[in-house]
Amino acid sequence: MAALGSPLGTLRALLRELRCASGGAGRSYRDTPAYRHIASAFRAHRVTSEKLCRARQELHFQAATYLCLLRSVREHAALHQEYHGRGERSPEEVAGLVGFRLPQQPGGKG
Amino acid sequence: PAERKRFYQNVSISQGEGGFEINLDHRKLKTPQAKLFTVPSEALAVAVATEWDSQKDTIKFYTMHLTTLCNTALDNPTQRNKTQLIRAAVKFLETDTVCYRVEEPAALAELQKNEWDPVVAWAEERYNVVIGSSTSILGPNIPASTKETFVSHLASYNMWALQGIEYVITQLKSLILSMGLIDRHITVEKAVLLSRLEEEYQIQRWGSVEWAHDYDLCELRARAAAGTLFVHLCSESSTVKHKLLQD
């Protein structure tokens, strides 16, 4: 069985990620379908009993996987923004790097 | 285009004939091939909606892995049927990362043995097969019976789940690690670590370059997590609309 840590820890981290991800116009993250779905799933499995144990483990694994997805996407996007977000240099900038200037061609390229 | 401006205010889910649909304001989301975007699982629809709602000023398609997986399942751009998908998946076993060992440097060989032997052993026990590992450039010699067992096992998954499984295998370069994830034996973080064992070894020795190493690590984690979640959400019989998943 995968080493998952505590379900409560996973849930808290997951809700934190949802809060970060909320991009919609001023709405609280609690209003989102994702929050409602996750909260109700965890609530439904709160009762500990032998029969439900496997379902709880499956839910916890799913929550941990979703947490990993949200967290990794956020971190990847942040790295992309920081290191790869500036796009390519323009031809003028490239020429400038080696001390050249592009010629003026008022009639357009030959 | 890699990015375009967010053009919608509200993202919502509705239930149609074929399954759950995503609405961007009043528009229904479509696939790249202009089919209606319908998913068989409500939980999956919620997660896709969340991807769309998380976009801020611009839509970063490269972060929307679940949407991409659904589009692939709906459009099937590579036009593969179930048999072909399964064959592609099982073929990976011949060059499975965790079976392909080095002899040098000794420290890496030792690390591979300590980290990979247990997961190979788990797969052999769980599926009652012989896999083994090899230092030969040709890779391990996988018995036909082992391949048949995996073919048979994968056939029990529906077409959507199979797209997800094949995706995870392609990302991790390992059938065994992917089954480890699908069977909930290891976490995504662990699977990715094992998949990138040699990189991690080199990083320990030479240091990490954030804009390359961490970037790749996060991307692989995101893709493996998305694929795994996709497989599980498409396989749950309680929440899935079977009509959509007919093979």
Side-chain angles (χ1 to χ4, degrees):
Chain A
M1 206 42 300
L4 286 173
S6 85
L8 193 56
T10 305
L11 177 61
R12 274 207 202 103
L14 193 45
L15 296 182
R16 223 177 293 137
E17 287 295 332
L18 281 181
R19 204 160 51 213
C20 286
S22 250
R27 253 180 311 123
S28 163
Y29 75 106
R30 280 186 234 259
D31 259 339
T32 58
Y35 177 88
R36 283 195 291 263
H37 187 96
I38 290 165
S40 80
F42 269 80
R43 221 174 283 132
H45 284 82
R46 213 168 31 191
V47 180
T48 318
S49 85
E50 268 311 304
K51 194 170 68 170
L52 296 173
C53 192
R54 178 148 176 228
R56 276 185 96 212
Q57 278 184 332
E58 286 182 5
L59 174 67
H60 190 195
F61 187 90
Q62 212 170 83
T65 304
Y66 191 43
L67 169 61
C68 182
L69 173 59
L70 291 178
R71 193 184 264 164
S72 308
V73 161
R74 181 174 51 76
E75 290 173 353
H76 178 255
L79 283 170
H80 185 92
Q81 205 44 45
E82 189 173 341
Y83 292 109
H84 304 275
R86 248 179 303 153
E88 279 189 359
R89 293 187 178 88
S90 71
E92 287 79 15
E93 284 177 53
V94 174
L97 280 179
V98 290
F100 294 138
R101 273 203 321 258
L102 290 179
Q104 307 292 342
Q105 294 187 46
K109 281 196 257 189
Chain B
E3 289 189 12
R4 74 178 265 209
K5 281 201 165 49
R6 176 168 173 153
F7 56 87
Y8 48 92
Q9 286 259 25
N10 293 308
V11 183
S12 62
I13 301 164
S14 53
Q15 195 164 348
E17 261 187 33
F20 297 90
E21 299 158 5
I22 311 288
N23 305 302
L24 305 175
D25 288 332
H26 57 272
R27 281 168 285 237
K28 287 196 184 297
L29 180 61
K30 302 258 171 46
T31 69
Q33 288 180 8
K35 297 196 184 115
L36 181 65
F37 188 99
T38 330
V39 299
S41 145
E42 184 174 9
L44 182 55
V46 170
V48 169
T50 306
E51 280 185 345
W52 285 88
D53 205 27
S54 305
Q55 304 308 311
K56 298 192 162 56
D57 306 310
T58 56
I59 303 173
K60 296 172 164 45
F61 291 110
Y62 59 84
T63 63
M64 300 164 76
H65 303 291
L66 290 172
T67 301
T68 306
L69 281 161
C70 292
N71 281 333
T72 305
L74 285 163
D75 285 347
N76 194 8
T78 58
Q79 303 258 300
R80 285 182 294 182
N81 62 29
K82 198 166 166 177
T83 311
Q84 290 166 318
L85 266 184
I86 293 174
R87 204 183 312 141
V90 177
K91 187 138 176 63
F92 247 97
L93 197 50
E94 295 164 21
T95 51
D96 204 301
T97 298
V98 301
C99 298
Y100 218 107
R101 306 295 175 89
V102 299
E103 281 174 312
E104 304 183 317
L108 179 56
E110 178 83 14
L111 187 64
Q112 290 182 340
K113 183 166 162 293
N114 293 334
E115 296 296 324
W116 288 347
D117 278 359
V119 73
V120 175
W122 165 82
E124 286 180 327
E125 213 224 291
R126 160 86 175 80
Y127 291 96
N128 195 22
V129 291
V130 170
I131 301 173
S133 62
S134 168
T135 54
S136 151
I137 196 168
L138 298 171
N141 198 1
I142 310 286
S145 56
T146 299
K147 293 188 205 175
E148 272 152 36
T149 303
F150 281 112
V151 166
S152 197
H153 177 75
L154 289 178
S156 68
Y157 287 92
N158 62 56
M159 193 60 179
W160 278 57
L162 270 176
Q163 296 273 15
I165 293 172
E166 200 258 349
Y167 176 79
V168 177
I169 293 175
T170 312
Q171 294 303 316
L172 292 177
K173 310 287 188 278
S174 166
L175 171 70
I176 294 175
L177 290 177
S178 305
M179 294 324 294
L181 272 176
I182 308 297
D183 292 344
R184 302 181 184 86
H185 175 68
I186 49 177
T187 61
V188 173
E189 288 88 346
K190 177 84 179 186
V192 167
L193 174 68
L194 292 177
S195 173
R196 286 168 44 92
L197 197 64
E198 181 163 357
E199 277 104 317
E200 290 303 318
Y201 168 78
Q202 301 296 357
I203 288 167
Q204 294 286 343
R205 284 204 70 197
W206 302 106
S208 176
V209 178
E210 197 182 32
W211 58 260
H213 291 136
D214 285 4
Y215 186 82
D216 288 346
L217 175 64
C218 289
E219 181 167 41
L220 188 56
R221 275 186 183 160
R223 286 163 177 237
T228 304
L229 192 61
F230 184 81
V231 172
H232 287 150
L233 292 178
C234 292
S235 315
E236 283 173 351
S237 50
S238 56
T239 57
V240 156
K241 289 204 160 293
H242 287 281
K243 192 170 97 171
L244 192 64
L245 300 171
Q246 291 307 304
D247 312 314

